[in-house]
Amino acid sequence: QIQRALRSLSVPLERLHIMKGHMMQDMCKGLSRQMHTQAKVRMLPTYICSTPNGTEKGNFLVVELCQNQVRTLLVTLYGDGNMSPQMMYKIFDMPEGIMQGEGEALFDFIAQCVSQFLAETITSDTNTSEERLPLGFVFPFSCRQTQLDKAELLSWSKGFSCSGVVGKDVVQLLQSAINKQELCHVDVVALMNDTVGTMMTCSMEGRPCEVAVVADKGSNCCFMAEAYLVETTEETSGRMCVNTEWGCFGDDGTLNDIFTPYDECVDEESSNPGEKRFEKMVGSLYLGEIVRHALIALTAEKALFTGTDVAVLKEKGVFTIQHILEIINNEDGIADVRRVLELLGLQPSERDCGRVQQVCRAVVGRAATLYATGLAAILSYMCQTREMETLMVNVGVEGELYTGYPRFEEILQSVSRLLAPECMATLLPSRDGSGRGAAMVTAVALRLAAQRREVNKVLAPLRLTHADLEKVQALMRQEMERGLSKETNATASVRMLPTYVSHTPDGTERGDFLALDLGGTNFRVLVVHVTEEGISMASEIYVIPAAIMQGTGERLFDHIIDCIIDFQVKQNLMTQTLPLGFTFSFPCQQVGLDKALLLTWTKGFTASGCVGQDVVQLLRQAAQRKQHSGLQVVALLNDTVGTMMSCGYDDPKCEIGLIVGTGTNACYMEEMRNVGTVEGDKGRMCINMEWGAFGDNGCLDHIFTHFDKVVDETTINPGKQRFEKLISGMYLGEIVRQILMVMTEKQLLFQGRPCPKLQTKNIFQTKFLSTIELNGLALRQIRAILKELELDASFEDSVLMREVCQTVSLRAAQLCAAGLAAVVEKMRENRGLDQLSVTVGVDGTLYKLHPCFSHNLQKTLKDLAPNCNVSFLLSEDGSGKGAALVAAVAHRAAN
Ligand code: ADP
Ligand code: MG
């Protein structure tokens, strides 16, 4: 019988694995927006988003509401890694009846305790009467918390039932009571559960503690979860401490298969049958009861105490955790066991003593094992959601089971390791968890608030309001008008270059074409077949050596012809004369579809004798020199135009082209009557805006920040392409780098440690923004980037870096939207429409690969141009396809 009883109390490993899985499922449920009301593991958000880093300092007051007592505590932190805080306590007994009286009386009493405590402890040498004194409130009841200092009481427990408190904000109630005591310098800044305090006390410098287990009368656990997983809050950045309230695990029956008849008895006799089933198997308040029921059953089966008086076993609560600990902690002999049992009024034989000891060990051992299983679930969950292969984490532990039972730690460690082998937990004893921890929470809250103010100050100039963006839109519109008008064109910062493309494709284009693409990242030659079935093409990438880019124009164009010939030979095209479209992505003054004067080189090209010349002519002359007669250049176009045309082939509404890659630019279909720089009033023409230069005349000076100015000054073209320098891939990384340098200087990052690598130009690439901003925050990848920069970043550092990246890329997308809003609104007005439906063809790696850019762009555009219904179409190979289509459309128009 004894063996059977012991067996029922030992849970086999596979059952533990199953239980761990259930726990993890319930945790996910508890965090999910839709399912959380059904979860037994409540997973309450605490709004504590950071653990101490050791720099906290100052005086902090704590008030803790306990069973029958109010504890007050004054903690002084020295910013020394929290190694040696100074602490002063006072405990006040609660007057009779207050726990069931009026809420106001309870809070008045707490405030009086605070007042009395301060009067006694604050002497002239700890004088803080001038300073504000922040207070942390430990309130161990179930609350719906919506901020660190805002928590509505859901329900009382533990014998409390004060009137007029449920549904109210308890922080507010305490603050009002404190104000009544004329303690106006005391601010209640944080409210927390006691479990959180345990986690916070164990965090020391360079050693954050991210999990806490309380193994006391009750049982609970909290841990730092990825904030975006806590769907019950709006917080998405960083982490937040979640109070699991795991005591209720199993209330839906999940634990039924490991319940013993003794557990059932304990539950039935409790004040809340069916509830807190996990807690009733592990909480030290219940372990004595489990043992008592086991002994009753064994006595009835005549396996124990035969022939003696066991009436005492009928008394509820007669066995306490202290009795049990005394019984099991005695390794040699049973003298102590006998003493304990006899004191209780039993008359045990030698055999009884041994058996009782075995039962006690089994009950406590099971509790430790179940704790370990819960911990393993937490650890695996953390490891999975942080996308780590292995997790190293510190776990704070507190409670009488942990301190009173020497083997508890060993079991917790070894069993959790067995169940979560991918995780390495280091167990840390918590010293006075709730009180000291509450001071830490309060201190961290203040540190973060101060840091937040500083961060906001740095980032404020980069945050644009709706009104700011409307102004940018209006300015863009104004510069567009100036660029289109013959009189003002020369001084406009937006050049509004005519392209001589007057039609977008209508899908009936057919034929074979050659295309050249010069001015992007590569030089390419293509053959494009436009057929009824669609467009197919073949292409070849050719290198243009730096010596040729920077040599003479003749050499450059000779080289281009060589590449064309090579391509035609390879493609077996030497005998045909195909119309050729030339995508040439440099600013040109176009005077015809096949006549374009180069205004200036950019992107590293400096070939001599080209600026001011007709680029098409330069190409034709080179063909003559090379005696290549089968070349028929019919059109030259910008890459924005190619993008619009290639998307226009699939979507006839596509009348705008947009590039957001290394640089940024846009084109759109304008009414000829508005194009003052070209003869004729009929029909439309595509205008290459060259909007990257918007603001070069000073009209955007009011939005340039210190960071933008520094970035501009270090480019090869200071003062030029000012709009582009706020938006495109070549510059965003640099802007972020400048901000990070300033934040490091202000000690907002890396705890003020210098970061020499960050001084290197272009070290922070724009593709890092994409990685860092990706939702779900793959910490591993951020760490890899930071390592490349030789940065030793804490978790909070990487969260702040993400905010910086988000701010910079959001502004870029918003400005781009303001520019586009000016374009679509002008098109709508041109056409006299109440509502315009139009598509934008887009190309560029920043637009395509950045996780939020396109979304932010589209959202802002909706705000700024509500009467335009704008769709976006990604361009595939716009420069090749687009060049062929321009050639085809030109062909069709000519016939
Ligand atoms: P180009 O504009 O020269 O034709 P792309 O459109 O490919 O070429 O743009 C290249 C630019 O895109 C690079 O200069 C870089 O700044 C940016 N970029 C590259 N990868 C990413 C990425 N993953 N996320 C955001 N931007 C990127
Ligand atoms: Mg490109």
Side-chain angles (χ1 to χ4, degrees):
Q1 284 123 334
I2 281 288
Q3 287 315 316
R4 195 161 38 80
L6 294 179
R7 244 198 328 275
S8 75
L9 285 165
S10 100
V11 187
L13 190 61
E14 69 268 18
R15 282 256 176 273
L16 296 178
H17 271 294
I18 294 169
M19 177 184 151
K20 176 192 160 196
H22 283 312
M23 176 81 95
M24 287 175 77
Q25 271 171 17
D26 224 23
M27 287 168 61
C28 292
K29 229 197 221 175
L31 290 174
S32 124
R33 202 186 298 279
Q34 280 102 38
M35 311 274 284
H36 72 99
T37 49
Q38 297 158 38
K40 292 302 166 196
V41 179
R42 296 284 304 272
M43 304 297 275
L44 301 174
T46 65
Y47 293 85
I48 292 165
C49 298
S50 186
T51 49
N53 68 7
T55 64
E56 294 79 11
K57 65 177 167 201
N59 291 314
F60 303 92
L61 190 58
V62 173
V63 180
E64 190 173 0
L65 188 55
C66 313
Q67 212 120 38
N68 311 318
Q69 288 178 339
V70 170
R71 292 211 308 160
T72 54
L73 170 66
L74 186 69
V75 179
T76 308
L77 299 176
Y78 296 100
D80 60 354
N82 302 329
M83 300 308 284
S84 52
Q86 186 191 315
M87 300 200 279
M88 280 177 284
Y89 283 99
K90 191 170 168 82
I91 295 176
F92 299 85
D93 284 327
M94 245 183 279
E96 198 77 19
I98 208 164
M99 288 161 65
Q100 291 85 29
E102 279 183 24
E104 196 175 344
L106 173 70
F107 284 94
D108 282 343
F109 175 72
I110 300 174
Q112 281 157 20
C113 297
V114 172
S115 175
Q116 194 182 333
F117 174 62
L118 288 180
E120 287 170 17
T121 43
I122 303 276
T123 54
S124 53
D125 56 303
T126 53
N127 181 18
T128 56
S129 59
E130 288 301 299
E131 288 169 37
R132 312 223 43 96
L133 188 54
L135 180 147
F137 186 23
V138 183
F139 188 73
F141 302 96
S142 186
C143 287
R144 181 186 303 122
Q145 204 158 354
T146 49
Q147 281 172 32
L148 192 52
D149 60 352
K150 205 169 165 59
E152 245 175 55
L153 177 63
L154 291 173
S155 62
W156 286 115
S157 56
K158 306 174 195 189
F160 282 81
S161 61
C162 300
S163 62
V165 184
V166 171
K168 298 264 175 60
D169 175 7
V170 288
V171 173
Q172 204 66 57
L173 293 178
L174 180 59
Q175 185 73 63
S176 313
I178 283 176
N179 294 349
K180 269 198 254 169
Q181 298 292 321
E182 299 190 350
L183 297 169
C184 290
H185 63 297
V186 176
D187 298 320
V188 186
V189 303
L191 176 137
M192 75 218 74
N193 190 278
D194 47 344
T195 315
V196 178
T198 301
M199 186 176 86
M200 285 297 188
T201 1
C202 290
S203 281
M204 307 256 183
E205 188 180 11
R207 196 193 68 179
C209 173
E210 298 188 287
V211 186
V213 174
V214 172
D216 211 65
K217 296 204 166 39
S219 170
N220 199 5
C221 173
C222 70
F223 71 102
M224 296 301 285
E226 306 303 299
Y228 75 95
L229 294 170
V230 189
E231 292 177 5
T232 45
T233 73
E234 298 301 317
E235 203 66 49
T236 54
S237 239
R239 292 185 182 147
M240 184 185 285
C241 176
V242 168
N243 171 16
T244 64
E245 292 287 345
W246 74 7
C248 297
F249 178 58
D251 288 6
D252 54 358
T254 337
L255 289 173
N256 287 0
D257 56 350
I258 59 169
F259 279 144
T260 63
Y262 325 126
D263 297 306
E264 299 292 355
C265 294
V266 171
D267 182 47
E268 276 160 29
E269 284 186 7
S270 70
S271 59
N272 51 351
E275 287 171 27
K276 298 224 165 195
R277 308 281 328 237
F278 183 65
E279 183 164 288
K280 284 174 189 164
M281 298 178 84
V282 300
S284 61
L285 196 60
Y286 303 96
L287 298 183
E289 284 294 285
I290 302 173
V291 168
R292 187 171 67 87
H293 281 288
L295 299 189
I296 291 174
L298 289 168
T299 308
E301 290 166 10
K302 308 245 181 298
L304 272 178
F305 304 125
T306 35
T308 65
D309 176 12
V310 293
V312 65
L313 285 179
K314 298 231 159 59
E315 267 175 57
K316 195 177 158 194
V318 68
F319 252 98
T320 67
I321 185 69
Q322 277 71 35
H323 295 134
I324 295 182
L325 292 175
E326 257 179 82
I327 289 173
I328 61 178
N329 286 340
N330 201 298
E331 295 293 335
D332 31 58
I334 50 161
D336 279 338
V337 184
R338 180 181 297 279
R339 192 172 45 76
V340 171
L341 293 178
E342 282 177 357
L343 264 175
L344 283 168
L346 294 161
Q347 299 100 45
S349 67
E350 189 135 326
R351 198 188 60 170
D352 291 338
C353 288
R355 288 183 169 178
V356 169
Q357 196 178 39
Q358 278 181 305
V359 170
C360 289
R361 285 210 176 115
V363 168
V364 177
R366 184 185 69 161
T369 307
L370 295 181
Y371 265 110
T373 309
L375 177 60
I378 301 276
L379 296 178
S380 285
Y381 180 82
M382 288 171 80
C383 189
Q384 271 175 27
T385 53
R386 293 181 184 189
E387 295 176 36
M388 296 167 100
E389 270 155 40
T390 56
L391 176 78
M392 305 264 282
V393 71
N394 291 313
V395 178
V397 196
E398 185 171 48
E400 60 185 357
L401 199 56
Y402 170 64
T403 45
Y405 178 44
R407 286 205 56 215
F408 184 84
E409 179 167 357
E410 185 191 320
I411 297 174
L412 194 61
Q413 183 92 65
S414 60
V415 177
S416 66
R417 187 103 180 95
L418 208 60
L419 294 172
E422 75 281 19
C423 304
M424 267 298 284
T426 307
L427 304 182
L428 305 171
S430 158
R431 289 175 280 149
D432 179 40
S434 45
R436 214 171 79 132
M440 300 284 193
V441 171
T442 312
V444 170
L446 283 191
R447 170 169 65 75
L448 292 182
Q451 174 175 327
R452 175 58 16 207
R453 281 193 296 275
E454 280 298 304
V455 166
N456 283 344
K457 231 193 270 170
V458 174
L459 294 181
L462 293 137
R463 295 190 167 128
L464 301 177
T465 63
H466 186 78
D468 292 332
L469 294 169
E470 276 180 336
K471 182 155 182 212
V472 172
Q473 176 182 353
L475 283 167
M476 176 67 95
R477 175 62 183 265
Q478 187 185 316
E479 287 298 290
M480 286 169 74
E481 305 286 3
R482 284 164 39 80
L484 285 171
S485 142
K486 201 178 174 119
E487 290 73 42
T488 46
N489 170 269
T491 56
S493 65
V494 181
R495 297 293 305 272
M496 304 297 280
L497 303 169
T499 66
Y500 293 85
V501 170
S502 42
H503 298 274
T504 51
D506 66 3
T508 63
E509 296 73 17
R510 302 285 177 266
D512 297 334
F513 305 91
L514 281 178
L516 300 182
D517 176 12
L518 184 70
T521 309
N522 297 304
F523 169 54
R524 295 182 313 153
V525 185
L526 309 91
V527 59
V528 185
H529 311 286
V530 186
T531 68
E532 210 155 326
E533 281 75 50
I535 299 182
S536 62
M537 53 190 148
S539 71
E540 196 89 38
I541 290 177
Y542 293 91
V543 177
I544 300 194
I548 292 184
M549 281 161 80
Q550 289 149 18
T552 66
E554 281 191 7
R555 255 196 94 196
L556 172 63
F557 283 92
D558 282 352
H559 178 70
I560 291 174
I561 296 294
D562 286 340
C563 296
I564 296 173
I565 293 172
D566 176 77
F567 181 77
Q568 284 187 304
V569 169
K570 279 188 184 151
Q571 297 288 331
N572 217 355
L573 293 169
M574 276 311 266
T575 54
Q576 288 167 286
T577 299
L578 300 179
L580 182 146
F582 187 4
T583 303
F584 185 75
S585 307
F586 301 94
C588 286
Q589 180 77 61
Q590 215 151 344
V591 282
L593 194 53
D594 62 348
K595 198 165 167 57
L597 312 179
L598 177 62
L599 290 171
T600 171
W601 282 120
T602 54
K603 312 178 202 184
F605 281 75
T606 57
S608 61
C610 298
V611 172
Q613 299 295 308
D614 174 7
V615 179
V616 176
Q617 214 47 44
L618 292 175
L619 186 63
R620 287 182 181 143
Q621 284 161 4
Q624 262 167 23
R625 280 197 299 278
K626 292 271 170 186
Q627 279 150 19
H628 185 45
S629 53
L631 206 65
Q632 187 199 354
V633 187
V634 300
L636 180 139
L637 62 149
N638 186 271
D639 54 351
T640 49
V641 181
T643 299
M644 178 186 79
M645 294 297 274
S646 70
C647 292
Y649 183 76
D650 298 316
D651 178 354
K653 281 204 290 206
C654 181
E655 296 184 271
I656 301 174
L658 171 69
I659 305 273
V660 194
T662 306
T664 181
N665 192 11
C667 70
Y668 73 103
M669 296 305 288
E670 179 57 275
E671 311 302 315
M672 273 299 283
R673 62 170 193 276
N674 293 335
V675 185
T677 48
V678 180
E679 291 291 308
D681 273 348
K682 287 219 178 63
R684 293 178 182 148
M685 182 179 283
C686 179
I687 298 295
N688 166 19
M689 294 176 69
E690 288 294 336
W691 81 5
F694 177 39
D696 289 7
N697 57 356
C699 69
L700 287 181
D701 284 3
H702 64 286
I703 64 162
F704 293 137
T705 64
H706 162 76
F707 312 111
D708 301 314
K709 287 172 198 150
V710 176
V711 169
D712 176 51
E713 279 159 20
T714 56
T715 57
I716 53 163
N717 54 349
K720 298 268 158 59
Q721 299 291 101
R722 297 301 306 266
F723 191 54
E724 177 164 88
K725 284 173 187 165
L726 304 175
I727 294 176
S728 74
M730 194 158 179
Y731 309 99
L732 294 193
E734 274 296 277
I735 299 172
V736 168
R737 187 177 69 88
Q738 293 298 336
I739 299 171
L740 296 183
M741 285 202 295
V742 166
M743 286 190 162
T744 311
E745 225 167 85
K746 288 189 186 290
Q747 316 229 332
L748 296 170
L749 270 175
F750 317 126
Q751 290 186 35
R753 286 188 300 271
C755 175
K757 198 79 180 264
L758 211 50
Q759 310 282 335
T760 319
K761 198 179 162 198
N762 292 331
I763 191 110
F764 200 95
Q765 298 171 35
T766 297
K767 68 175 185 202
F768 293 171
L769 273 79
S770 293
T771 314
I772 290 177
E773 287 183 57
L774 205 72
N775 215 351
L777 197 68
L779 197 62
R780 200 160 16 112
Q781 286 166 15
I782 295 191
R783 283 271 157 84
I785 291 173
L786 297 177
K787 214 172 203 159
E788 218 170 288
L789 300 178
E790 291 169 19
L791 288 175
D792 175 19
S794 69
F795 180 75
E796 280 164 55
D797 288 336
S798 47
V799 171
L800 182 52
M801 284 173 82
R802 187 164 73 145
E803 185 178 358
V804 171
C805 291
Q806 281 168 336
T807 307
V808 170
S809 76
L810 173 65
R811 184 183 66 151
Q814 287 176 332
L815 287 170
C816 194
L820 267 185
V823 173
V824 294
E825 273 297 296
K826 184 166 196 320
M827 290 173 82
R828 187 179 67 81
E829 286 171 29
N830 283 345
R831 299 173 190 194
L833 297 170
D834 292 333
Q835 195 76 32
L836 172 77
S837 241
V838 69
T839 299
V840 182
V842 202
D843 202 354
T845 303
L846 178 61
Y847 183 92
K848 286 180 171 169
L849 293 191
H850 189 281
C852 327
F853 190 94
S854 59
H855 171 81
N856 288 333
L857 167 62
Q858 291 172 29
K859 184 171 171 292
T860 312
L861 183 58
K862 264 210 181 75
D863 289 347
L864 293 173
N867 295 321
C868 297
N869 178 14
V870 187
S871 329
F872 288 78
L873 196 57
L874 287 184
S875 151
E876 282 162 54
D877 210 338
S879 30
K881 213 162 128 178
L885 286 167
V886 171
V889 170
H891 230 58
R892 191 186 56 191
N895 297 335

